[in-house]
C-alpha cells in the first residue's frame, strides 16, 4: 500500500522519546500502570461476565492465569493507541480485533477456538471483538469527555448492553450444554468486577502530570508483556493441542489487524487518549445512576419469562447480531480505508 498518511518507517524502539529510552529499565511509571489495570478489568468484565464464558466452571488456576493475560493485552493496546496515534472508530475496531484474536490464543481458547469454522465468526471476530470495542469505548467514557452528550450515550449504552446481558445470560448457557445459571450466581460473579472498576476510576492515585506518552511500554515492558502472552499461549497449546491450521488463520488475522493499525499510524497528532490521561471521570453520581440503570435493565431482562416468536428468541437475535458483526467489521474497515487511500492517490495524481 502506498500513499500512507505519515507512514511509520522506524523500529518501535526508535519511536520512543529519548527520556522514555532513558527509563527502559522500567515497565512504565507506577501511576501509568493504573490505566492498563482499569482497561484489563473492563475487558475481563466484558469477555468473562457480559458474554458469560461460564466463570463458575473456571478453577483457581484458570483465574490466576487470566489476570496477567488481561493486563498484558491491555498494556499492549494502550501502547498502540499512543505509538500509532489511534484516533477514530476504525482504529478502535482494529484494536478490538487484536484483543479478541490475542484472547483466543492466550485466554479462552477452550471456548473461542472450539468448532472453529463457526466460532471464528461468532466469537473471535464476533462477540469478543464487539465487547472489546465496547469496553474500549467505556474506558474512554470513564476517563474523559465528560459532556452532556457523552452522558446520554453512556446511558443509552447501559440500556442496550443491560438488556443484551440479561437475555444472553439467561438463555445462552443451556443452549451451549452448560448448566443453567441463576440470577444470584450471575450477579455474584459480575458485581465485584463492576465495583472494582469503579474503585479504580475514582480512588486510584493517578499522577497529575501523567501524559498519554507515559503509557508507552519500555523495552523491558515489551519483554514482560511478550513473556506473559507467550507463556499463556504455550500453556494452552500444550493443554489443548490447537490445530496448526487454526493457528495459521488466527496468526494471519493478527498480522492483518496490526498491519492496518501500523499503516494508519502517524509520528505526531492527536490520539484517543488526549484529555483522558490522567483520567477525568464523570461525577460519581452520574456513574452510579448509569450503573443502576444497567443493573436494573439486566435483572429485568434476566427475570422475564421466556420470550419467543416462532423459533426466534432474544438469544437468537443477539447471536445473529454477533455473527453479523463478525462477518462485517473487518471487510468494511478494509474497504473504507482502501477507498480513502485510492481517492487520496487520485487527488495527489499518484496513479
Amino acid at each position: 500500500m502506498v500513499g500512507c498518511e505519515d507512514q511509520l518507517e522506524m523500529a518501535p524502539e526508535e519511536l520512543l522519546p529519548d527520556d522514555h529510552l532513558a527509563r527502559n529499565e522500567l515497565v512504565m511509571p507506577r501511576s501509568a500502570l493504573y490505566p492498563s489495570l482499569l482497561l484489563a478489568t473492563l475487558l475481563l468484565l466484558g469477555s468473562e461476565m457480559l458474554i458469560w464464558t461460564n466463570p463458575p466452571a473456571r478453577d483457581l488456576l484458570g483465574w490466576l492465569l487470566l489476570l496477567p493475560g488481561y493486563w498484558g493485552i491491555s498494556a499492549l493496546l494502550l501502547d498502540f493507541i499512543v505509538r500509532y496515534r489511534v484516533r477514530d472508530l476504525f482504529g478502535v475496531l482494529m484494536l478490538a480485533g487484536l484483543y479478541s484474536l490475542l484472547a483466543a490464543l492466550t485466554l479462552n481458547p477452550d471456548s473461542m477456538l472450539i468448532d472453529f469454522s463457526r466460532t471464528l465468526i461468532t466469537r473471535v471476530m464476533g462477540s469478543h471483538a464487539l465487547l472489546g470495542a465496547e469496553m474500549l469505548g467505556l474506558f474512554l467514557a470513564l476517563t474523559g469527555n465528560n459532556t452532556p452528550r457523552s452522558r446520554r450515550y453512556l446511558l443509552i449504552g447501559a440500556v442496550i448492553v443491560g438488556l443484551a446481558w440479561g437475555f444472553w445470560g439467561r438463555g445462552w448457557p443451556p443452549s451451549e450444554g452448560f448448566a443453567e445459571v441463576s440470577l444470584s450466581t450471575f450477579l455474584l460473579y459480575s458485581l465485584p468486577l463492576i465495583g472494582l472498576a469503579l474503585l479504580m476510576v475514582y480512588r486510584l492515585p493517578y499522577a497529575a502530570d501523567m501524559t498519554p506518552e507515559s503509557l508507552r511500554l519500555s523495552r523491558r515492558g515489551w519483554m514482560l508483556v511478550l513473556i506473559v502472552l507467550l507463556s499463556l499461549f504455550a500453556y494452552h497449546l500444550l493443554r489443548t493441542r490447537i490445530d496448526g491450521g487454526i493457528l495459521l488463520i488466527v496468526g494471519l488475522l493478527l498480522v492483518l489487524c496490526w498491519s492496518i493499525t501500523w499503516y494508519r499510524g502517524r509520528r505526531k497528532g492527536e490520539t484517543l487518549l488526549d484529555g483522558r490521561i490522567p483520567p477525568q471521570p464523570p461525577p460519581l453520581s452520574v456513574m452510579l445512576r448509569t450503573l443502576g440503570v444497567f443493573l436494573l435493565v439486566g435483572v429485568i431482562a434476566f427475570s422475564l419469562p421466556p420470550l419467543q416468536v416462532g423459533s426466534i428468541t432474544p438469544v437468537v437475535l443477539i447471536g445473529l447480531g454477533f455473527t453479523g458483526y463478525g462477518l462485517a467489521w473487518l471487510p468494511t474497515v478494509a474497504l473504507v480505508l482502501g477507498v480513502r487511500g485510492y481517492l487520496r492517490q487520485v487527488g495527489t495524481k499518484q496513479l
Side-chain angles (χ1 to χ4, degrees):
M1 290 181 283
V2 296
C4 166
E5 45 186 318
D6 299 326
Q7 183 170 346
L8 298 174
E9 297 178 355
M10 304 171 70
E13 53 266 42
E14 292 178 290
L15 291 172
L16 295 171
D18 292 340
D19 61 334
H20 194 90
L21 286 173
R23 294 187 286 102
N24 65 61
E25 73 277 1
L26 301 173
V27 174
M28 59 174 65
R30 180 181 300 176
S31 60
L33 283 171
Y34 300 145
S36 61
L37 292 174
L38 171 60
L39 180 57
T41 302
L42 295 176
L43 291 174
L44 193 154
L45 175 65
S47 281
E48 303 298 327
M49 305 304 160
L50 299 188
I51 297 178
W52 196 256
T53 51
N54 202 24
R58 197 182 297 275
D59 58 18
L60 178 60
L61 176 61
W63 284 108
L64 292 177
L65 291 176
L66 283 182
L67 302 180
Y70 274 106
W71 171 81
I73 296 176
S74 299
L76 187 70
L77 296 181
L78 292 176
D79 177 277
F80 277 12
I81 291 176
V82 180
R83 183 180 303 279
Y84 298 119
R85 322 308 294 180
V86 175
R87 58 204 174 274
D88 56 18
L89 176 62
F90 292 143
V92 170
L93 294 181
M94 286 298 108
L95 292 178
L98 283 168
Y99 156 69
S100 183
L101 291 161
L102 287 171
L105 294 175
T106 62
L107 300 177
N108 285 309
D110 289 344
S111 64
M112 296 175 71
L113 299 182
I114 188 174
D115 191 11
F116 188 67
S117 60
R118 174 175 62 90
T119 56
L120 172 64
I121 299 299
T122 60
R123 299 184 191 176
V124 180
M125 305 301 285
S127 58
H128 288 269
L130 178 58
L131 264 294
E134 291 179 2
M135 293 302 107
L136 281 166
L138 180 58
F139 174 85
L140 297 176
L142 291 174
T143 53
N145 195 24
N146 182 26
T147 64
R149 184 179 182 182
S150 66
R151 295 180 190 180
R152 286 196 298 270
Y153 287 153
L154 199 59
L155 192 60
I156 293 171
V159 173
I160 295 173
V161 177
L163 280 173
W165 178 54
F167 284 129
W168 187 255
R170 173 65 180 272
W172 179 73
S175 69
E176 294 290 325
F178 297 145
E180 185 172 355
V181 60
S182 66
L183 178 60
S184 59
T185 301
F186 204 52
L187 295 176
L188 178 64
Y189 280 85
S190 302
L191 289 179
L193 280 176
I194 294 173
L196 179 60
L198 282 177
L199 184 66
M200 288 183 173
V201 171
Y202 291 99
R203 299 301 298 172
L204 285 180
Y206 296 101
D209 60 349
M210 183 169 56
T211 67
E213 289 293 333
S214 305
L215 301 182
R216 293 180 65 158
L217 293 167
S218 66
R219 290 192 182 100
R220 181 168 292 186
W222 272 101
M223 289 179 59
L224 178 59
V225 167
L226 290 176
I227 288 172
V228 167
L229 296 183
L230 289 175
S231 298
L232 290 173
F233 170 67
Y235 168 78
H236 288 296
L237 185 63
L238 293 173
R239 188 174 64 88
T240 61
R241 302 188 180 277
I242 305 170
D243 181 78
I246 293 176
L247 294 179
L248 178 62
I249 293 172
V250 174
L252 290 174
L253 289 171
L254 268 172
V255 170
L256 177 60
C257 290
W258 172 80
S259 298
I260 293 175
T261 303
W262 170 82
Y263 170 74
R264 302 186 71 233
R266 301 178 298 178
R267 289 187 179 90
K268 298 180 180 179
E270 64 181 10
T271 76
L272 292 170
L273 296 177
D274 292 349
R276 294 183 168 89
I277 300 297
Q280 304 174 46
L284 181 59
S285 60
V286 172
M287 283 310 306
L288 291 177
R289 183 168 62 248
T290 303
L291 177 59
V293 169
F294 168 76
L295 291 174
L296 177 62
V297 170
V299 169
I300 290 175
F302 191 100
S303 304
L304 286 174
L307 303 176
Q308 186 166 348
V309 178
S311 60
I312 303 299
T313 65
V315 171
V316 170
L317 292 177
I318 296 169
L320 288 174
F322 286 151
T323 302
Y325 180 84
L327 288 169
W329 72 266
L330 184 55
T332 299
V333 172
L335 177 61
V336 172
L337 295 180
V339 170
R340 284 184 177 180
Y342 173 80
L343 294 177
R344 188 181 304 114
Q345 292 178 341
V346 170
T348 57
K349 298 181 180 179
Q350 293 185 24
L351 289 179

